[in-house]
Amino acid sequence: MTHGRKRDRRSVRLVALVAALVMAVSGYAAGVTFLGTAEDGVPPRAGTALMSTGAGRDDAAGGRSPQVSADGRHLVFLSRSDLPAATPLHPRAGGDRWRVYGRDLATGAVTLLSDPRTDASDPRISADGRVVTYRYRTPPSQGRAPARSAAGTIVVDRAVSGEAGLDRPGDVLATDLAEAPGPVPASFPELCERDCGPRLSHDGATVVYPSVLSPVSPALLVTAAGSGTPGPVTGDLIDVNALAARPDGFGPDDGPFTLTVGTAAAVPGAGDLTGEPRLQGQGSGAFRVGTKKCDTSGTCRTTLTFDPARCADGSLIWGRLETRGSTSAGRSSVGLLARCAGRAPAPDCPPGPEAEHLADLPLRRGELRSGPVSGRLLDVGPVVPGRPLVVMVSARGLTGRVSYGTQDCAAVRLVEPDAKLRERAREAGVADPAPVSPGSVLDGSDTGTLYFLVDPDARPEGHVPADPASAARTYAARVVLTPAPGAKASGDGFSVTLRTVREVVEMRTDVKAGAGFVPGPARLVSVVEGKGTSATRLVDGVRPALSGDGRTVAFTAYGLDPAVPRTGAVVAARFTDDGRHLGSTTVSGRAASGTTADSAAVSSDGRTIAFVRRPEPPVPGEAAQVLVTDERGEGTRTMSTSGSGAPGNADSTRPSLSPDGRVVGFASAATNLEGDPPGSGPHLYVRAVSSQESVARLAGPGKGEDVDPSAVAFDAGGAVAAFTTTEPLADEDANGQPDVYTHAVAGRLAVEPAALDFGTFTGKSATRTAIPLRIANTGPGPVTVHSVTAPPPFVHRGSCVGRTIRAGEVCTAYVSFAPHDLGPQAGTLEVKARTALDGTVLTYGVDLVAVVEEPDPSGGDGKGAGDTGGRIGERSGAPPSTLPGAAALSVSPTVARPGRVVRIQGSGFIPGDRVTLTWGTAGPVQQADVTPEGTLTAHVPVAGQANAGPGSVTASNDRGELLAYAGLLVAPRLR
């Protein structure tokens, strides 16, 4: 019973924390300020709350990848634990798969949203929490046969009817985009390797995600046959020798050999997905292709003829078979290979990379297998251009002298590794890592290993929408084993094929208004304009970020500059609501050798973009930095800096932005961002985009394998940060694992100027003065102004009290002085504000000074030597009046330049009154008469000033009472 009471107390405390957090966030989002009812006027502290736990658990359960809805009411996160949760979609199950949970931050209720039989990643949530997306991957043990079901993107609509709360059984719909109808230009989502999760617009209607273009669409089944039964094409290669049963090769005098190639929908009954294309031969000219014919079942066939007469030209004949249909689902690229008898393959490739350059490349073990279409085959599998690797094949069972030929030396070649790579091969389980070279004689024992460098660096430029799959190709090579003294040839060798896939970014949009996500056709969005033309071209695109309005996709692009094909750049592509491409801009600067950019984050309106710039290749002493820019790539600023502006002295990565674009989060291993250096390893930081001094540390992120693509997730205004950390920030967290937390982000109060000097007055009650006071928030979180108190005879005027100021914003108040007593006058104006969520009180004092002297006996105008033209005369001695609530001013333009004139329009003034308009506190004065309708129009010159920034225009009556004021921004003086 004691244990149960302890558990209940912890559950109640957690619910209370998240409820306080949600109330504060809801009030902030709605423009309401919750000031609390405690005796000291400070609300209960919300602070930091543990999220990766469930009702009925004592301890943290472990979790990662949190995302908070923009309205601050809902959270999604990943956990391997089987948390007590509602299960409207899937039954609860054991095991340790990553699964998606949703938490209602008002009630603490937890819901299981993903199938626990699959591994989930990268959850995202709409602004109202109704739509959740995530990526899934089916573990191999599940044995799902269709390749397209191995991975994909799920869209969960949690309130299909839209009539009641979320997560009600029977009112939740999950849609697998891999099975969505319509053309599917990206072929194999399971091949995406990094930052592969979906991104979701705020209304839940638009989803973007990375995928790949492959030579063969998953919607298309390709078969080939000589005189026998058609067999599926393996490794995207048709080996004519295997189909013709000619392992010894063709001779120049042999007659033409004809085979049949078939294409059909992978899903029975889906019809002809290829439209009415023709199969077109590419390459040597030794192949002839007939006309494609389709039957009513959706199966299409064509004849392919190989002419051995071309054997006089070479020993290996290459070709490529392509389909060009009216739909992108029907495109495919299949390699063709024929070998001629009695001749060795073409000479070896020219010298390749130095051996030491191979040592650090990824290693992949290859296994030989046989098939009726491809003969003996080494299928390397999918490869992304720009990511070379080494494939190792054991020579066991191979006999004969080795010779080698390849379709493209840049794509696949036989190489000799150095000692370091051979040692890595031994550690990977290779029995004999000694390299096999062309000319080596094999006797069938463990006599070494063949090493193939796979690096299809060629990047053909596809065009959208004419042929988006043109860069996805199948390449082939051939190892031939010929008889040698003391060694019998084992067959005719084997083929080496690789599938060059191309990473792209896709978009799908809900085509049904209202609740219930119905995905439309996929469209490719990783496109840019060509140089000197309005036409677009497809580029390699990864790591997409989507604006909240669903119209801006920022992604990492490779190959923009052919001179530096492996250099990344961040591109922002803009689209209409119906998906039409409006244009694209490289916002990370011109691609150049020596640097690369990636990992974009984008604000809700698409106008602020964060990204990482790093040296490429890495340079000692030069660290990766997080930067922000606008949608045109202008005004770029570094965020990973110290208070003095020095860049971080170690890598900063994984940027994220609050939806309003005011707060940036990132991870950094730098030790110079704060005054007190943190502990070793990376840490999570947030800061205001507009402030250099507001960096705030949240926690340490945890182990490298547990980090999330984005360091921090924010609600709409950056008031709530959700993140993963191994630091135990709550009593319940003692598991030593990464866990999910939410944190109330505090702002910082700044008041300018720090002192107000009203000057010297001659005579009591001679003149009243109003001086503007700027109450600012340097961030990163919002603050709410609680009070502004000025001691008499100083009087505060303005509407800042009760206002929530977001990071980078300024509220202007005014302080007046009415001289009543002789002598020096001094006091301290006190501004109090509270951080928007946890209620911490921030206080700032402003010194107030004025001097009142005896009037000059000889008479005078009532102004002393210290008086300024900014004072508005009042000699009656009347007490200060309150600010009229109806009077208002507007300024045009809102951004002005010194020496220019701004137009002032007013309303709500007393009809027939004369109003004095003043620029700032010491600028030009203009008077205007109020019309019978209570309006006025005037033109006031903008006073010259040394520094650009916020300015103001004030309106007062003939008694010196401040009636209204309006702010504007002063741009730098033109030079």
Side-chain angles (χ1 to χ4, degrees):
M1 294 299 293
T2 302
H3 177 75
R5 287 194 298 270
K6 177 182 177 183
R7 178 181 60 195
D8 293 343
R9 285 197 300 270
R10 286 178 172 175
S11 299
V12 170
R13 180 167 56 181
L14 177 60
V15 173
L17 283 171
V18 296
L21 190 67
V22 170
M23 288 187 65
V25 174
S26 302
Y28 166 68
V32 179
T33 303
F34 293 93
L35 297 180
T37 58
E39 293 181 1
D40 59 358
V42 178
R45 183 178 181 86
T48 302
L50 175 65
M51 294 288 108
S52 50
T53 186
R57 294 189 66 97
D58 280 345
D59 302 315
R64 68 181 188 186
S65 301
Q67 291 290 317
V68 63
S69 61
D71 64 7
R73 294 176 179 268
H74 301 276
L75 182 86
V76 290
F77 64 94
L78 297 175
S79 180
R80 279 197 173 110
S81 297
D82 188 12
L83 301 180
T87 56
L89 281 171
H90 307 284
R92 289 170 56 185
D96 61 350
R97 306 294 182 197
W98 287 106
R99 58 202 83 184
V100 179
Y101 289 99
R103 180 185 287 278
D104 187 319
L105 293 178
T107 65
V110 177
T111 304
L112 175 64
L113 297 175
S114 67
D115 188 341
R117 295 170 298 178
T118 66
D119 265 316
S121 63
D122 296 311
R124 288 297 187 273
I125 188 168
S126 63
D128 60 1
R130 182 177 66 89
V131 180
V132 173
T133 61
Y134 65 91
R135 176 177 168 82
Y136 76 90
R137 181 179 291 273
T138 303
S141 60
Q142 294 296 323
R144 286 190 171 184
R148 64 183 298 179
S149 298
T153 296
I154 300 292
V155 180
V156 180
D157 193 318
R158 305 169 71 187
V160 175
S161 67
E163 297 175 355
L166 307 181
D167 303 328
R168 295 182 305 141
D171 197 24
V172 183
L173 175 67
T175 302
D176 188 344
L177 296 187
E179 300 174 358
V184 187
S187 302
F188 295 92
E190 72 272 12
L191 301 182
C192 182
E193 296 179 355
R194 56 182 181 179
D195 292 351
C196 297
R199 302 295 182 260
L200 184 66
S201 62
H202 280 182
D203 62 1
T206 302
V207 182
V208 299
Y209 50 91
S211 189
V212 298
L213 292 174
S214 172
V216 178
S217 166
L220 201 62
L221 179 64
V222 181
T223 59
S227 58
T229 303
V233 173
T234 302
D236 303 342
L237 175 72
I238 297 176
D239 190 324
V240 179
N241 295 78
L243 287 172
R246 295 291 300 269
D248 296 331
F250 290 93
D253 297 330
D254 290 340
F257 175 76
T258 300
L259 57 100
T260 301
V261 179
T263 58
V267 179
D272 176 22
L273 298 180
T274 64
E276 285 296 333
R278 293 186 178 182
L279 300 176
Q280 299 177 356
Q282 304 268 335
S284 65
F287 299 94
R288 297 192 302 270
V289 182
T291 302
K292 174 185 172 184
K293 298 179 180 180
C294 301
D295 59 28
T296 57
S297 68
T299 300
C300 304
R301 296 179 176 84
T302 189
T303 58
L304 177 67
T305 301
F306 169 68
D307 185 359
R310 298 301 297 269
C311 282
D313 300 333
S315 59
L316 294 178
I317 308 297
W318 311 100
R320 181 177 289 119
L321 192 64
E322 294 189 346
T323 67
R324 297 180 179 272
S326 59
T327 68
S328 55
R331 292 182 176 91
S332 65
S333 170
V334 180
L336 303 175
L337 171 63
R339 188 174 65 84
C340 300
R343 299 188 60 179
D348 294 336
C349 292
E354 299 294 335
E356 60 267 21
H357 294 162
L358 304 175
D360 296 325
L361 295 179
L363 290 178
R364 184 184 297 178
R365 297 190 67 173
E367 300 293 337
L368 297 178
R369 52 198 177 99
S370 298
V373 176
S374 56
R376 194 187 315 210
L377 176 74
L378 168 64
D379 184 5
V380 175
V383 176
V384 177
R387 297 186 193 172
L389 66 140
V390 175
V391 178
M392 309 172 296
V393 180
S394 173
R396 170 178 283 190
L398 301 179
T399 59
R401 185 184 301 276
V402 175
S403 56
Y404 174 78
T406 178
Q407 179 187 15
D408 189 338
C409 289
V412 55
R413 67 170 67 208
L414 196 61
V415 294
E416 288 199 27
D418 64 356
K420 181 180 178 180
L421 183 56
R422 292 198 297 270
E423 181 59 30
R424 288 183 58 207
R426 188 184 303 278
E427 294 172 354
V430 173
D432 183 2
V436 174
S437 305
S440 298
V441 176
L442 305 179
D443 61 6
S445 63
D446 286 331
T447 54
T449 300
L450 293 91
Y451 296 84
F452 296 95
L453 172 63
V454 176
D455 186 15
D457 202 24
R459 294 171 181 269
E461 295 183 357
H463 296 277
V464 177
D467 188 12
S470 62
R473 291 284 184 254
T474 295
Y475 296 91
R478 182 77 180 177
V479 173
V480 178
L481 299 173
T482 56
K488 180 181 179 182
S490 57
D492 64 342
F494 60 90
S495 301
V496 183
T497 68
L498 63 99
R499 178 186 305 123
T500 304
V501 298
R502 187 167 194 174
E503 293 184 301
V504 293
V505 178
E506 281 187 351
M507 174 188 293
R508 285 188 186 269
T509 303
D510 188 358
V511 295
K512 175 186 175 183
F517 187 92
V518 179
R523 71 175 51 89
L524 294 174
V525 299
S526 49
V527 293
V528 300
E529 283 83 11
K531 294 183 178 180
T533 175
S534 60
T536 58
R537 65 184 178 95
L538 180 68
V539 296
D540 296 341
V542 297
R543 297 183 177 182
L546 178 66
S547 62
D549 62 14
R551 299 182 61 186
T552 298
V553 182
F555 58 92
T556 303
Y558 294 95
L560 295 182
D561 187 345
V564 282
R566 300 187 186 184
T567 295
V570 173
V571 173
R574 190 73 172 167
F575 297 86
T576 60
D577 289 336
D578 62 1
R580 183 170 57 87
H581 183 245
L582 292 176
S584 54
T585 304
T586 302
V587 299
S588 59
R590 181 180 177 274
S593 179
T595 64
T596 188
D598 54 39
S599 305
V602 62
S603 64
S604 183
D605 60 5
R607 298 184 182 276
T608 304
I609 299 172
F611 62 93
V612 174
R613 179 179 291 159
R614 69 183 82 236
E616 179 62 37
V619 177
E622 294 187 20
Q625 306 292 344
V626 172
L627 298 89
V628 295
T629 188
D630 64 16
E631 74 273 21
R632 297 179 298 274
E634 299 175 355
T636 303
R637 306 182 305 282
T638 302
M639 293 288 100
S640 50
T641 62
S642 64
S644 64
N649 56 14
D651 285 346
S652 298
T653 57
R654 299 162 51 210
S656 57
L657 280 171
S658 62
D660 63 5
R662 294 176 179 271
V663 184
V664 61
F666 58 92
S668 180
T671 59
N672 63 334
L673 302 187
E674 298 180 286
D676 297 326
S680 61
H683 295 266
L684 303 180
Y685 294 92
V686 294
R687 82 178 320 151
V689 170
S690 61
S691 174
Q692 192 68 42
E693 303 176 356
S694 61
V695 66
R697 179 187 177 276
L698 294 177
K703 300 177 182 178
E705 64 269 21
D706 294 319
V707 298
D708 306 320
S710 299
V712 185
F714 297 100
D715 72 332
V720 176
F723 55 91
T724 303
T725 179
T726 53
E727 293 185 17
L729 304 182
D731 294 341
E732 296 86 355
D733 188 356
N735 60 8
Q737 304 177 41
D739 273 291
V740 173
Y741 284 87
T742 56
H743 177 74
V745 182
R748 297 181 182 180
L749 181 65
V751 182
E752 297 177 348
L756 297 179
D757 187 350
F758 289 82
T760 301
F761 295 79
T762 303
K764 295 182 296 182
S765 303
T767 304
R768 178 189 308 276
T769 298
I771 299 180
L773 190 71
R774 301 174 69 249
I775 303 175
N777 173 21
T778 61
V783 299
T784 299
V785 179
H786 177 45
S787 63
V788 181
T789 306
F794 304 96
V795 178
H796 157 254
R797 299 281 187 269
S799 58
C800 294
V801 175
R803 175 177 167 180
T804 296
I805 305 176
R806 295 182 294 175
E809 284 188 347
V810 175
C811 182
T812 303
Y814 290 83
V815 182
S816 298
F817 173 71
H820 290 282
D821 301 321
L822 297 176
Q825 309 291 319
T828 301
L829 178 140
E830 186 178 68
V831 180
K832 286 188 176 182
R834 292 189 176 124
T835 54
L837 295 183
D838 67 1
T840 301
V841 177
L842 309 173
T843 303
Y844 205 104
V846 177
D847 293 332
L848 308 175
V849 178
V851 177
V852 181
E853 296 180 343
E854 288 282 359
D856 186 349
S858 62
D861 61 3
K863 293 184 179 181
D867 203 7
T868 67
R871 295 181 180 139
I872 305 168
E874 190 229 326
R875 302 172 183 272
S876 66
S881 63
T882 58
L883 198 71
L889 292 178
S890 63
V891 182
S892 177
T894 57
V895 179
R897 296 186 182 275
R900 301 289 179 85
V901 175
V902 294
R903 181 183 183 187
I904 309 298
Q905 291 181 296
S907 62
F909 292 89
I910 298 174
D913 203 358
R914 171 159 285 197
V915 175
T916 300
L917 302 169
T918 306
W919 163 255
T921 61
V925 175
Q926 182 82 341
Q927 289 189 323
D929 293 325
V930 181
T931 68
E933 290 78 22
T935 63
L936 62 85
T937 300
H939 294 82
V940 176
V942 180
Q945 59 181 39
N947 299 313
S952 62
V953 174
T954 60
S956 59
N957 57 22
D958 58 0
R959 296 183 300 278
E961 296 174 327
L962 181 65
L963 303 177
Y965 60 91
L968 73 161
L969 182 66
V970 181
R973 185 188 297 273
L974 293 174
R975 297 182 179 180

